[in-house]
Amino acid sequence: MPELEALLREERVFYPPEELVNRSNIKQFMDKHGIKSYEELLDRSKDLNWFWTEMAKEVGIEWFSEPKEIVSWEPPYVKWFVGAKYNIVHDALDKQAKLRRNKVAYIWEGEEGLERKITYGELYWEVNRLANALKELGIRKGDRVAIYLPMLPELPIAMLACAKIGAMHADVFSGFSPMALRDRINDSEAKLLITADGFYRRGGIIHLKEDADKALEDASSIEKVIVLERIGLKVPMREDRDHWWHEIVSKQPRECETEVMDANDPLFILYTSGTTGKPKGIIHAHAGYAVGVAATLKYVFDLKENDVWWCTADIGWITGHSYIVYGPLILGATSVMYCGAPDYPKPDRWWKIVEKYGVTVFYTAPTAIRMFMKLGDEWVEKHDLSSLRLLGSVGEPINPEAWLWFYKHVGKERCPIMDTWWQTETGHFIVTPLPITPLKPGSAVKPFPGIEADVFDDDGNSLARKNAGGYLVIKKPWPGMLRGIWRNPERYAKTYWEKFEGIYLTGDAARIDEDGYFWIQGRLDDVLNVAGHRIGNSEIESALVSHPAISEAAVVGKPHEVKGEAIVAFVVLKKGYKASEDLKSELREHVGKEIGKIARPDEIYFVPDLPKTRSGKIMRRLVKAKLTGGKIGDTSTLMNPESLILIEQVIERS
Ligand code: WTA
């Protein structure tokens, strides 16, 4: 990863303000247990039973019946809080409706300027009514419900309603295409789909129900559909399958019993990209996940009763699941939710929102920060951001330049930046600063207490404090650890547990410097990270070769100023097709239709051939080296070296 390494150099160390340190939740926890330093905290928390028991208490977990054992580890499967009866909805909602009935859970703003505030009390009634509607439509414990909704309060309501009755939600990002939705429904065998008529994006209208209907043409597991009326579009409703949300919910009682689950029962499936064309259905369970997301949010972002928390992610991704829905609700926090483009109608939309609602803790992605950097400082400077006290970043390595801009222009050199490294699979932060740790721009600092991460060389030797790049691994189970891949235990074992036995392989490269600070270098496997979104190279390749003109494709990433990585496709045409600019646009649109707009290639090259091994496997690594000028490395298995020369010529000519 030479290009990334060049970015990751900034020698200065930044210290959090003393007042913030002294008042922080983590400092209070340390004082309570007589812990004097960060090092001692990390050391003491190696006692997993002690640490995670304490964490469960600190975030106020209420069991229906107490756990008999904290963790049971039979690689590669883990169980947390074994023997306990539990449901995450009790802590996220039922309890809150009593404790904080009139406190605002969500401040919501739509792109068109509409504003809604929902209290915990209201959220409780809405969830209960929808949960009863789900039951009426035949949903039972263990069933899967697909959710295809934009950023509306009804999205957390739908997720909580499923969890309340013990069903699993499988959210599909509303920017994904009908095809992507169809595949996820079919894989999870969801019985019911919750969607909306449409929504606004950048002033235009997205016809979501129409897309959902396309997906349903070939998704036979779906028996019922609930449609939320968001903007009043006329949409076809299929009798005895489709129900309007407001109609079916209006006749439901406002109380619904919360299903008593086993602590390790599954809570949801969320699909994420891997090395093959087929996304993986990552499974998370109730109790471990609850403790993990709430504890990390409480101690990393220091959330307190009066904070106004804004995580700008979409709930369709893990960041939204963990830190817009479950984490903040378990802590009884107030969250901002915005449904729209960040720079619409003007590039100061986000900063306007921060000012308007007095956001105190703000969590976003490097790609957004780089976009705002490019748009000019004046859009940020126009607004009073003095309510902010902590900032955060996630999704990809943050380059020191973006870090410093964020620190200076948004945080006014007052707010420490929590650069949190984690994944869909980990459920919550793994490597992260705390508000008490000195920061080095570009470093995610160290593992959260109670988590043992390391960097290994190829033979499984630790490279800790050696400042050498290697495989980022996690050596002990953690509460939010994935419980498997839906209906694919072989892939689960192979992807994460085969390389180093009993050790979780993250798929990322990293190095640990002399001070023990982690520097994430990017993905080692064939997964792209575009604008903070994970997309498999092979997913895009399969989409390309499904176009009639294309016989073969290789998709690689290339550094991009704003998005982190740009998608570059090399395609071989079938006989009878001619290269043209029109065909390029057609291919881009085609990929957009197959996967979603985020997966459309930024550049497309028509090439006569692609480098292959003797067994016919396309050698993406060589294509990438040609594109980015990296090292070619070992070519002993390359069957057609001339293909590389031709690729070089095509790149040069363009
Ligand atoms: C990358 C998103 C560097 C990483 C929460 C990981 C990061 C992948 C960071 C997971 C960070 C996430 N610094 N890289 N702070 N956070 N990543 O599953 O490559 O959508 O493996 O989860 O994003 O993406 P996912």
mmCIF file of all heavy atoms in Angstrom, residues 272 317-319 393-398 419-425 444 506 508 520 522-523 529 532 534, ligand 1:
data_model
loop_
_atom_site.group_PDB
_atom_site.id
_atom_site.type_symbol
_atom_site.label_atom_id
_atom_site.label_comp_id
_atom_site.label_asym_id
_atom_site.label_seq_id
_atom_site.Cartn_x
_atom_site.Cartn_y
_atom_site.Cartn_z
ATOM 1 N N THR A 272 -22.663 -7.466 3.596
ATOM 2 C CA THR A 272 -21.479 -6.658 3.311
ATOM 3 C C THR A 272 -20.646 -7.368 2.252
ATOM 4 O O THR A 272 -20.795 -8.565 2.028
ATOM 5 C CB THR A 272 -20.655 -6.393 4.588
ATOM 6 O OG1 THR A 272 -19.667 -5.405 4.290
ATOM 7 C CG2 THR A 272 -19.968 -7.638 5.092
ATOM 8 N N TRP A 317 -26.160 0.962 6.627
ATOM 9 C CA TRP A 317 -24.836 0.382 6.828
ATOM 10 C C TRP A 317 -24.638 0.119 8.318
ATOM 11 O O TRP A 317 -25.401 0.628 9.141
ATOM 12 C CB TRP A 317 -23.742 1.342 6.337
ATOM 13 C CG TRP A 317 -23.936 1.782 4.923
ATOM 14 C CD1 TRP A 317 -24.617 2.889 4.517
ATOM 15 C CD2 TRP A 317 -23.477 1.125 3.723
ATOM 16 N NE1 TRP A 317 -24.599 2.969 3.141
ATOM 17 C CE2 TRP A 317 -23.912 1.911 2.628
ATOM 18 C CE3 TRP A 317 -22.737 -0.023 3.474
ATOM 19 C CZ2 TRP A 317 -23.635 1.563 1.307
ATOM 20 C CZ3 TRP A 317 -22.461 -0.367 2.163
ATOM 21 C CH2 TRP A 317 -22.906 0.418 1.099
ATOM 22 N N ILE A 318 -23.584 -0.605 8.663
ATOM 23 C CA ILE A 318 -23.398 -0.973 10.077
ATOM 24 C C ILE A 318 -23.245 0.255 10.975
ATOM 25 O O ILE A 318 -23.698 0.255 12.116
ATOM 26 C CB ILE A 318 -22.189 -1.936 10.255
ATOM 27 C CG1 ILE A 318 -22.184 -2.566 11.652
ATOM 28 C CG2 ILE A 318 -20.870 -1.237 9.994
ATOM 29 C CD1 ILE A 318 -23.289 -3.504 11.962
ATOM 30 N N THR A 319 -22.611 1.301 10.471
ATOM 31 C CA THR A 319 -22.390 2.476 11.319
ATOM 32 C C THR A 319 -23.724 3.023 11.824
ATOM 33 O O THR A 319 -23.854 3.391 12.990
ATOM 34 C CB THR A 319 -21.604 3.560 10.551
ATOM 35 O OG1 THR A 319 -20.419 2.946 10.036
ATOM 36 C CG2 THR A 319 -21.208 4.710 11.451
ATOM 37 N N SER A 393 -14.446 10.056 13.155
ATOM 38 C CA SER A 393 -14.255 9.679 11.757
ATOM 39 C C SER A 393 -14.292 8.161 11.637
ATOM 40 O O SER A 393 -13.838 7.451 12.531
ATOM 41 C CB SER A 393 -12.895 10.215 11.302
ATOM 42 O OG SER A 393 -12.509 9.634 10.083
ATOM 43 N N VAL A 394 -14.832 7.673 10.535
ATOM 44 C CA VAL A 394 -14.918 6.228 10.308
ATOM 45 C C VAL A 394 -15.046 5.905 8.831
ATOM 46 O O VAL A 394 -15.495 6.728 8.047
ATOM 47 C CB VAL A 394 -16.151 5.617 11.021
ATOM 48 C CG1 VAL A 394 -17.456 6.170 10.488
ATOM 49 C CG2 VAL A 394 -16.163 4.080 10.899
ATOM 50 N N GLY A 395 -14.661 4.695 8.476
ATOM 51 C CA GLY A 395 -14.949 4.167 7.144
ATOM 52 C C GLY A 395 -13.732 3.931 6.292
ATOM 53 O O GLY A 395 -13.740 3.074 5.412
ATOM 54 N N GLU A 396 -12.682 4.693 6.519
ATOM 55 C CA GLU A 396 -11.475 4.537 5.720
ATOM 56 C C GLU A 396 -10.364 5.298 6.443
ATOM 57 O O GLU A 396 -10.649 6.102 7.336
ATOM 58 C CB GLU A 396 -11.692 5.126 4.331
ATOM 59 C CG GLU A 396 -12.070 6.575 4.423
ATOM 60 C CD GLU A 396 -12.456 7.200 3.099
ATOM 61 O OE1 GLU A 396 -11.643 7.177 2.183
ATOM 62 O OE2 GLU A 396 -13.575 7.723 3.029
ATOM 63 N N PRO A 397 -9.135 5.068 6.051
ATOM 64 C CA PRO A 397 -8.063 5.820 6.716
ATOM 65 C C PRO A 397 -8.250 7.317 6.461
ATOM 66 O O PRO A 397 -8.586 7.720 5.358
ATOM 67 C CB PRO A 397 -6.794 5.313 6.012
ATOM 68 C CG PRO A 397 -7.168 3.993 5.416
ATOM 69 C CD PRO A 397 -8.623 4.123 5.050
ATOM 70 N N ILE A 398 -8.070 8.123 7.493
ATOM 71 C CA ILE A 398 -8.186 9.572 7.300
ATOM 72 C C ILE A 398 -6.774 10.124 7.110
ATOM 73 O O ILE A 398 -5.892 9.896 7.930
ATOM 74 C CB ILE A 398 -8.946 10.262 8.459
ATOM 75 C CG1 ILE A 398 -9.002 11.778 8.232
ATOM 76 C CG2 ILE A 398 -8.417 9.925 9.830
ATOM 77 C CD1 ILE A 398 -10.045 12.498 9.085
ATOM 78 N N ASP A 419 -10.820 8.713 15.699
ATOM 79 C CA ASP A 419 -10.736 7.977 14.438
ATOM 80 C C ASP A 419 -10.954 6.500 14.763
ATOM 81 O O ASP A 419 -10.054 5.821 15.224
ATOM 82 C CB ASP A 419 -9.362 8.212 13.799
ATOM 83 C CG ASP A 419 -9.155 7.401 12.536
ATOM 84 O OD1 ASP A 419 -10.089 6.707 12.091
ATOM 85 O OD2 ASP A 419 -8.033 7.457 11.988
ATOM 86 N N THR A 420 -12.178 6.030 14.535
ATOM 87 C CA THR A 420 -12.578 4.698 14.993
ATOM 88 C C THR A 420 -12.435 3.673 13.874
ATOM 89 O O THR A 420 -13.054 3.813 12.823
ATOM 90 C CB THR A 420 -14.051 4.724 15.435
ATOM 91 O OG1 THR A 420 -14.845 5.130 14.307
ATOM 92 C CG2 THR A 420 -14.270 5.700 16.569
ATOM 93 N N TRP A 421 -11.634 2.647 14.105
ATOM 94 C CA TRP A 421 -11.530 1.562 13.118
ATOM 95 C C TRP A 421 -12.418 0.405 13.547
ATOM 96 O O TRP A 421 -12.316 -0.085 14.678
ATOM 97 C CB TRP A 421 -10.082 1.055 12.972
ATOM 98 C CG TRP A 421 -10.048 -0.059 11.968
ATOM 99 C CD1 TRP A 421 -9.811 0.057 10.631
ATOM 100 C CD2 TRP A 421 -10.338 -1.453 12.202
ATOM 101 N NE1 TRP A 421 -9.934 -1.165 10.011
ATOM 102 C CE2 TRP A 421 -10.267 -2.101 10.940
ATOM 103 C CE3 TRP A 421 -10.677 -2.203 13.327
ATOM 104 C CZ2 TRP A 421 -10.496 -3.474 10.797
ATOM 105 C CZ3 TRP A 421 -10.917 -3.563 13.174
ATOM 106 C CH2 TRP A 421 -10.817 -4.192 11.923
ATOM 107 N N TRP A 422 -13.262 -0.050 12.642
ATOM 108 C CA TRP A 422 -14.090 -1.231 12.898
ATOM 109 C C TRP A 422 -14.723 -1.687 11.606
ATOM 110 O O TRP A 422 -14.434 -1.124 10.546
ATOM 111 C CB TRP A 422 -15.122 -0.950 13.994
ATOM 112 C CG TRP A 422 -16.084 0.176 13.725
ATOM 113 C CD1 TRP A 422 -15.786 1.495 13.574
ATOM 114 C CD2 TRP A 422 -17.508 0.073 13.595
ATOM 115 N NE1 TRP A 422 -16.939 2.216 13.368
ATOM 116 C CE2 TRP A 422 -18.005 1.380 13.375
ATOM 117 C CE3 TRP A 422 -18.414 -0.992 13.663
ATOM 118 C CZ2 TRP A 422 -19.370 1.637 13.212
ATOM 119 C CZ3 TRP A 422 -19.770 -0.724 13.506
ATOM 120 C CH2 TRP A 422 -20.232 0.576 13.281
ATOM 121 N N GLN A 423 -15.570 -2.723 11.667
ATOM 122 C CA GLN A 423 -16.171 -3.310 10.467
ATOM 123 C C GLN A 423 -17.598 -3.784 10.755
ATOM 124 O O GLN A 423 -17.974 -3.950 11.913
ATOM 125 C CB GLN A 423 -15.389 -4.564 10.048
ATOM 126 C CG GLN A 423 -13.914 -4.411 9.947
ATOM 127 C CD GLN A 423 -13.238 -5.738 9.621
ATOM 128 O OE1 GLN A 423 -13.309 -6.692 10.393
ATOM 129 N NE2 GLN A 423 -12.580 -5.796 8.484
ATOM 130 N N THR A 424 -18.322 -4.087 9.679
ATOM 131 C CA THR A 424 -19.647 -4.705 9.813
ATOM 132 C C THR A 424 -19.533 -5.923 10.733
ATOM 133 O O THR A 424 -20.376 -6.155 11.595
ATOM 134 C CB THR A 424 -20.154 -5.157 8.427
ATOM 135 O OG1 THR A 424 -20.130 -4.024 7.551
ATOM 136 C CG2 THR A 424 -21.559 -5.707 8.508
ATOM 137 N N GLU A 425 -18.464 -6.682 10.537
ATOM 138 C CA GLU A 425 -18.279 -7.923 11.282
ATOM 139 C C GLU A 425 -18.000 -7.689 12.761
ATOM 140 O O GLU A 425 -18.323 -8.524 13.603
ATOM 141 C CB GLU A 425 -17.092 -8.716 10.706
ATOM 142 C CG GLU A 425 -17.306 -9.269 9.310
ATOM 143 C CD GLU A 425 -16.926 -8.286 8.192
ATOM 144 O OE1 GLU A 425 -16.911 -7.053 8.449
ATOM 145 O OE2 GLU A 425 -16.645 -8.749 7.079
ATOM 146 N N ALA A 444 -5.495 5.443 14.368
ATOM 147 C CA ALA A 444 -6.713 5.135 15.119
ATOM 148 C C ALA A 444 -6.385 4.808 16.583
ATOM 149 O O ALA A 444 -7.224 4.305 17.325
ATOM 150 C CB ALA A 444 -7.471 3.997 14.457
ATOM 151 N N THR A 506 -8.916 -9.605 9.922
ATOM 152 C CA THR A 506 -9.803 -8.495 9.568
ATOM 153 C C THR A 506 -9.867 -8.231 8.075
ATOM 154 O O THR A 506 -10.818 -7.631 7.600
ATOM 155 C CB THR A 506 -9.326 -7.188 10.239
ATOM 156 O OG1 THR A 506 -8.049 -6.846 9.669
ATOM 157 C CG2 THR A 506 -9.207 -7.322 11.732
ATOM 158 N N ASP A 508 -7.664 -6.215 6.747
ATOM 159 C CA ASP A 508 -6.975 -4.930 6.612
ATOM 160 C C ASP A 508 -5.482 -5.096 6.888
ATOM 161 O O ASP A 508 -5.074 -5.977 7.636
ATOM 162 C CB ASP A 508 -7.525 -3.911 7.631
ATOM 163 C CG ASP A 508 -8.789 -3.235 7.149
ATOM 164 O OD1 ASP A 508 -9.619 -3.923 6.531
ATOM 165 O OD2 ASP A 508 -8.941 -2.024 7.391
ATOM 166 N N ILE A 520 -3.821 2.232 10.219
ATOM 167 C CA ILE A 520 -4.522 1.354 9.278
ATOM 168 C C ILE A 520 -4.106 1.726 7.861
ATOM 169 O O ILE A 520 -4.105 2.904 7.497
ATOM 170 C CB ILE A 520 -6.054 1.509 9.417
ATOM 171 C CG1 ILE A 520 -6.496 1.426 10.883
ATOM 172 C CG2 ILE A 520 -6.783 0.504 8.532
ATOM 173 C CD1 ILE A 520 -6.280 0.120 11.588
ATOM 174 N N GLY A 522 -5.346 0.047 4.924
ATOM 175 C CA GLY A 522 -6.317 -0.270 3.870
ATOM 176 C C GLY A 522 -6.518 -1.764 3.732
ATOM 177 O O GLY A 522 -5.885 -2.553 4.429
ATOM 178 N N ARG A 523 -7.395 -2.157 2.824
ATOM 179 C CA ARG A 523 -7.766 -3.562 2.713
ATOM 180 C C ARG A 523 -6.726 -4.358 1.954
ATOM 181 O O ARG A 523 -6.124 -3.875 1.017
ATOM 182 C CB ARG A 523 -9.141 -3.687 2.045
ATOM 183 C CG ARG A 523 -10.199 -2.986 2.871
ATOM 184 C CD ARG A 523 -11.508 -3.673 2.993
ATOM 185 N NE ARG A 523 -11.514 -5.085 3.144
ATOM 186 C CZ ARG A 523 -12.082 -5.727 4.184
ATOM 187 N NH1 ARG A 523 -12.619 -5.059 5.175
ATOM 188 N NH2 ARG A 523 -12.127 -7.017 4.201
ATOM 189 N N ASN A 529 -12.881 0.399 -1.108
ATOM 190 C CA ASN A 529 -13.475 1.264 -0.113
ATOM 191 C C ASN A 529 -13.719 2.614 -0.779
ATOM 192 O O ASN A 529 -12.853 3.461 -0.824
ATOM 193 C CB ASN A 529 -12.526 1.381 1.074
ATOM 194 C CG ASN A 529 -13.244 1.897 2.288
ATOM 195 O OD1 ASN A 529 -14.207 2.653 2.166
ATOM 196 N ND2 ASN A 529 -12.796 1.495 3.458
ATOM 197 N N GLY A 532 -16.025 5.549 1.655
ATOM 198 C CA GLY A 532 -16.352 4.893 2.921
ATOM 199 C C GLY A 532 -17.282 3.702 2.783
ATOM 200 O O GLY A 532 -17.688 3.112 3.765
ATOM 201 N N ARG A 534 -18.064 -0.154 1.407
ATOM 202 C CA ARG A 534 -17.380 -1.382 1.007
ATOM 203 C C ARG A 534 -18.032 -1.992 -0.206
ATOM 204 O O ARG A 534 -19.212 -2.287 -0.192
ATOM 205 C CB ARG A 534 -17.526 -2.373 2.156
ATOM 206 C CG ARG A 534 -16.274 -2.653 2.855
ATOM 207 C CD ARG A 534 -16.621 -3.443 4.083
ATOM 208 N NE ARG A 534 -16.390 -4.858 3.833
ATOM 209 C CZ ARG A 534 -16.350 -5.746 4.818
ATOM 210 N NH1 ARG A 534 -16.567 -5.390 6.048
ATOM 211 N NH2 ARG A 534 -16.113 -7.008 4.542
HETATM 212 C C1 WTA B 1 -12.344 0.407 6.628
HETATM 213 C C2 WTA B 1 -17.535 0.352 8.484
HETATM 214 C C3 WTA B 1 -9.252 3.065 8.342
HETATM 215 C C4 WTA B 1 -11.522 -0.840 6.842
HETATM 216 C C5 WTA B 1 -17.529 0.658 9.983
HETATM 217 C C6 WTA B 1 -12.552 -1.860 7.274
HETATM 218 C C7 WTA B 1 -11.305 2.058 8.220
HETATM 219 C C8 WTA B 1 -13.740 -1.468 6.457
HETATM 220 C C9 WTA B 1 -11.739 2.765 9.360
HETATM 221 C C10 WTA B 1 -15.050 -1.884 7.075
HETATM 222 C C11 WTA B 1 -10.825 3.688 9.960
HETATM 223 C C12 WTA B 1 -13.344 1.465 8.679
HETATM 224 N N1 WTA B 1 -9.591 3.795 9.415
HETATM 225 N N2 WTA B 1 -10.069 2.205 7.729
HETATM 226 N N3 WTA B 1 -11.143 4.426 11.012
HETATM 227 N N4 WTA B 1 -12.997 2.374 9.616
HETATM 228 N N5 WTA B 1 -12.330 1.268 7.821
HETATM 229 O O1 WTA B 1 -17.791 -3.109 7.080
HETATM 230 O O2 WTA B 1 -10.935 -1.209 5.621
HETATM 231 O O3 WTA B 1 -18.515 -0.969 5.944
HETATM 232 O O4 WTA B 1 -12.168 -3.194 7.017
HETATM 233 O O5 WTA B 1 -17.664 -1.003 8.294
HETATM 234 O O6 WTA B 1 -13.674 -0.036 6.368
HETATM 235 O O7 WTA B 1 -16.140 -1.391 6.345
HETATM 236 P P1 WTA B 1 -17.601 -1.663 6.863
#
